[in-house]
Amino acid sequence: AQKVTQAQTEISVVEKEDVTLDCVYETRDTTYYLFWYKQPPSGELVFLIRRNSFDEQNEISGRYSWNFQKSTSSFNFTITASQVVDSAVYFCALSEGPGSGNTPLVFGKGTRLSVIA
Amino acid sequence: DSGVTQTPKHLITATGQRVTLRCSPRSGDLSVYWYQQSLDQGLQFLIQYYNGEERAKGNILERFSAQQFPDLHSELNLSSLELGDSALYFCASSPRPRTPHGSFGQGTRLTVV
């Protein structure tokens, strides 16, 4: 069965600090997809990244970077030089791939990030 | 902009009532997914449709139902509403059922009073 664990419920940092949000997943499938979403106070779910299980390359997009490690079943998200606008709840999610008929997303419980000016 | 449109954005209704939430998928997408985000259950999958047919079912209550119409828009019907049904309801779409979806609609915030 699929499972996503975000052990950090809440994190508070001072502006310009770096912060890493942890995500650990469980799946029996060899083909799967991992996602990160941002949910600002306004409530919408903002898509940040999708990564398939065959691509373990780390990715960087501006101040955001993602570290995918199959060996530890983790897909961690780092924000460099955090800003107040990064304050939001961040969700990690998992979808099993074609071998399982592409199941819908299973979400972690989210990490609430507060960036203090 | 995800291309997925949900209406209404906010809905306030009384217990026992019935409401309909609407989702228009991104142009060209045939599969629609519904999710519920509540305080106690978090974000969870409700139901998926592909080209008018139900494809997968999650933790959807019997009081809830959905359908996808020939023009591919989908409606989620919630009946005999209870206070605990207050939640954010999100819709997402993908080209085919085996293609993982990424972006969500803006959501409908349902408040049952």
Side-chain angles (χ1 to χ4, degrees):
Chain A
Q2 325 172 61
K3 186 178 178 183
V4 175
T5 302
Q6 294 180 257
Q8 304 149 309
T9 306
E10 292 190 36
I11 299 177
S12 187
V13 299
V14 176
E15 207 171 19
K16 297 183 185 172
E17 285 185 352
D18 299 348
V19 58
T20 295
L21 310 183
D22 297 334
C23 173
V24 174
Y25 61 92
E26 294 176 30
T27 177
R28 292 180 191 163
D29 213 327
T30 55
T31 305
Y32 51 89
Y33 298 86
L34 295 164
F35 302 75
W36 275 96
Y37 291 89
K38 173 182 180 179
Q39 188 174 42
S42 50
E44 71 270 26
L45 281 171
V46 179
F47 170 77
L48 297 177
I49 190 171
R50 179 179 71 210
R51 177 52 57 87
N52 75 54
S53 52
F54 298 109
D55 183 2
E56 284 193 76
Q57 277 197 338
N58 291 331
E59 179 151 343
I60 298 174
S61 176
R63 296 185 296 106
Y64 294 171
S65 61
W66 290 269
N67 182 0
F68 178 24
Q69 291 200 338
K70 268 175 137 173
S71 60
T72 55
S73 297
S74 65
F75 186 44
N76 296 337
F77 173 33
T78 297
I79 302 175
T80 303
S82 60
Q83 300 176 1
V84 172
V85 292
D86 296 327
S87 297
V89 180
Y90 290 86
F91 291 94
C92 181
L94 166 71
S95 172
E96 290 174 340
S100 302
N102 181 230
T103 53
L105 269 59
V106 170
F107 286 86
K109 293 194 179 299
T111 297
R112 182 178 298 277
L113 173 65
S114 298
V115 181
I116 303 163
Chain B
D1 182 8
S2 67
V4 180
T5 305
Q6 288 187 247
T7 56
K9 196 165 181 183
H10 300 278
L11 200 49
I12 301 175
T13 190
T15 54
Q17 294 299 304
R18 173 189 168 97
V19 296
T20 297
L21 312 184
R22 182 187 169 111
C23 170
S24 294
R26 187 179 52 181
S27 178
D29 286 356
L30 301 179
S31 195
V32 171
Y33 304 74
W34 285 99
Y35 291 81
Q36 178 195 57
Q37 184 181 24
S38 62
L39 281 175
D40 48 347
Q41 297 291 332
L43 263 163
Q44 58 176 0
F45 166 69
L46 294 179
I47 197 162
Q48 177 196 5
Y49 276 81
Y50 170 65
N51 212 17
E53 300 288 327
E54 183 183 301
R55 180 79 181 191
K57 216 166 186 175
N59 297 323
I60 187 166
L61 299 172
E62 284 192 13
R63 299 183 286 108
F64 296 0
S65 65
Q67 52 185 326
Q68 186 178 27
F69 293 86
D71 67 352
L72 300 175
H73 90 271
S74 177
E75 292 181 357
L76 179 67
N77 300 296
L78 315 176
S79 61
S80 303
L81 285 167
E82 302 174 359
L83 296 177
D85 298 326
S86 296
L88 263 170
Y89 292 84
F90 289 103
C91 173
S93 68
S94 69
R96 297 169 298 280
R98 289 174 178 262
T99 306
H101 64 80
S103 298
F104 285 79
Q106 296 229 335
T108 294
R109 186 177 294 277
L110 173 66
T111 303
V112 182
V113 297

